[in-house]
Amino acid sequence: MYLADSRTAPGVPGTAGRSPSPGRRAAVPATVLALGTVSLVTDISSEMVTAVLPLYLVTELGLSPLGFGLLDGIQNGVSALVRLAGGRFADRSPGGHKAVAAAGYGLSALCKPLLLLVHGVPAIGAVLAADRTGKGLRTAPRDAMISLACSPAARGRAFGVHRAMDTAGALAGPLVAFLVLRAAAGGYDAVFTVSGCTAALGVLVLLLFVPGRAAVPGHRGAPAERAPLRAVARRPEVRRLTACAVLLGLTTVSDSFLYLTLQRRLDLSEAWFPLLPLGTAGTFLLLAVPLGAVADRFGRRRLFLCGHLALLGAYGVLAAPLGGSAVLPCLALALHGSFYAATDGVLAAAAADAVPEAVRGSGLAVVQTGQAAARFACSIAFGAAWAAWGDRTALEAAAAGLAVSAAVSVLLLRPSTAPERAKRIPEGSCR
């Protein structure tokens, strides 16, 4: 799989596929639509909490930027630690990917009501860590089910459709939180209550409408144990993708910090703060499917790198003096949403190309874990930089690091002229 064209991976069974004939689009599989519905409902729940949590912790509980960075980093770190376990369990579990994904969604749903009962920072951190454990468990199995449900040539579009539905929930979540905060006397407690009920609905949709283990053409169901996790991680394509995901993740500032920066620059009131993620989510929703199709046609890795240029542009806008203009904040949120549309599902589709079906969950988890661990480190580092230098200088440092990381990633993903010497997983271990 090369930067010039990452639609197929050389030597990987099941990744060679014909593109749909000109003028004709393959229907999106029912499994993708069902999983998209689950993600839509779950994201309404999650983003309700995410939209109010930074302000709740910093304003209500008096948490410092460094303390918030540590807490935000812990969330990402826990997710990173369990993603490998989630992907591996899904490949080896008798219940398949659905069983592990259901466990992850269920754990996250249970955590939402617990936010009503805890008020100290350590207790809230423990609940958020449990919620992220659920997210870490479900992500790789869910993406594996999406990749196995569609043809290789249409993976970018399938992931784009799923991410668009997921983002519709992310778009609705902050809006619901905004309305609840304005209408309910309970304030934050009311948000947490509605979020918990919505999360339970998402688990129900998964159990009722998402099919179990998919029947993959040509896959004879050989045990995944024959392909050790270290062998999956050593695949040249997986190594390159993971290295790039880590490098770029180390300079990807968390959404919460970007929204806090924007809120402070614009001096927005607390009531309006939950609406800031709508700009990101709205752009993501509009671009996820088109950019997924672009990735299928012109190369997934190339688009993944271009997406980080959009993030670099968002950093530049936020670091510049915003003044009283509303144009620059809107531009920053639009660039932020474009970054997610060009990278989130696209990276999953590229990673799916790099590994056979029988270890799909493990392969996706390796790449996603590297990215999540890097973002964990970035949250802590950015929080410390904000506390020491201020938000603008911290953002400028992140922008410089992202520019360097993107340049190195281009070199890592460029077409190779030398034969691959690294070991591949023996085909008999996966077929």
Side-chain angles (χ1 to χ4, degrees):
M1 190 191 324
Y2 299 138
L3 176 60
D5 184 357
S6 62
R7 289 171 289 176
T8 59
V12 178
T15 59
R18 295 183 179 179
S19 301
S21 57
R24 182 182 177 185
R25 287 186 176 183
V28 178
T31 298
V32 175
L33 296 178
L35 286 168
T37 303
V38 174
S39 293
L40 187 154
V41 175
T42 302
D43 249 37
I44 292 176
S45 169
S46 298
E47 293 302 320
M48 286 180 64
V49 175
T50 301
V52 302
L53 195 62
L55 211 59
Y56 175 63
L57 293 173
V58 174
T59 303
E60 289 283 316
L61 301 184
L63 201 63
S64 68
L66 176 57
F68 179 74
L70 289 170
L71 193 58
D72 191 59
I74 287 171
Q75 296 182 65
N76 290 322
V78 170
S79 176
L81 289 174
V82 298
R83 285 193 190 204
L84 281 175
R88 196 59 176 165
F89 287 160
D91 288 337
R92 302 171 66 174
S93 169
H97 301 106
K98 178 180 176 179
V100 178
Y105 279 108
L107 178 58
S108 293
L110 289 173
C111 290
K112 301 302 189 299
L114 291 179
L115 289 171
L116 294 167
L117 306 177
V118 297
H119 298 286
V121 173
I124 291 176
V127 172
L128 294 177
D131 176 71
R132 289 294 173 161
T133 298
K135 181 177 176 62
L137 282 175
R138 70 180 183 247
T139 300
R142 180 203 65 199
D143 287 350
M145 285 191 283
I146 294 171
S147 71
L148 292 170
C150 60
S151 67
R155 278 193 190 124
R157 182 167 174 263
F159 275 103
V161 168
H162 173 268
R163 295 314 197 255
M165 297 179 71
D166 180 276
T167 307
L171 190 65
L175 183 59
V176 174
F178 172 74
L179 296 175
V180 171
L181 279 178
R182 291 180 67 89
Y188 293 111
D189 285 350
V191 172
F192 299 150
T193 300
V194 176
S195 174
C197 295
T198 307
L201 177 61
V203 177
L204 187 62
V205 173
L206 173 69
L207 295 175
L208 294 179
F209 297 104
V210 175
R213 187 184 295 274
V216 182
H219 178 219
R220 299 173 190 149
E225 293 90 338
R226 297 181 186 174
L229 186 61
R230 62 179 177 275
V232 178
R234 287 175 181 171
R235 293 186 68 86
E237 298 90 350
V238 174
R239 284 207 311 267
R240 286 196 292 266
L241 271 178
T242 304
C244 291
V246 168
L247 276 174
L248 296 167
L250 286 171
T251 50
T252 299
V253 176
S254 77
D255 300 355
S256 298
F257 272 127
L258 287 180
Y259 300 144
L260 281 172
T261 300
L262 198 52
Q263 187 260 346
R264 293 190 175 193
R265 296 291 181 79
L266 299 177
D267 197 24
L268 287 178
S269 68
E270 295 180 10
W272 292 98
F273 181 81
L275 295 183
L276 289 178
L278 296 181
T280 296
T283 306
F284 192 173
L285 178 63
L286 291 174
L287 297 180
V289 177
L291 289 183
V294 168
D296 286 336
R297 186 169 181 180
F298 295 108
R300 292 160 189 160
R301 295 182 171 198
R302 180 181 294 163
L303 186 64
F304 177 69
L305 292 175
C306 289
H308 284 85
L309 297 181
L311 180 62
L312 186 60
Y315 288 175
V317 171
L318 287 174
L322 297 180
S325 172
V327 175
L328 289 180
C330 291
L331 177 60
L333 293 174
L335 287 168
H336 194 222
S338 301
F339 155 69
Y340 276 117
T343 59
D344 191 10
V346 172
L347 178 62
D353 291 339
V355 287
E357 291 94 340
V359 288
R360 185 65 48 79
S362 301
L364 286 166
V366 167
V367 178
Q368 292 168 349
T369 296
Q371 183 183 62
R375 290 182 177 180
F376 160 73
C378 182
S379 289
I380 296 175
F382 189 83
W386 183 329
W389 307 327
D391 59 343
R392 179 169 296 172
T393 303
L395 204 58
E396 290 171 349
L402 179 58
V404 173
S405 297
V408 174
S409 296
V410 170
L411 296 177
L412 284 173
L413 295 181
R414 65 182 178 181
S416 175
T417 56
E420 293 287 1
R421 293 186 174 90
K423 287 185 179 180
R424 297 181 182 270
I425 300 174
E427 302 300 341
S429 66
C430 304
R431 304 299 286 177

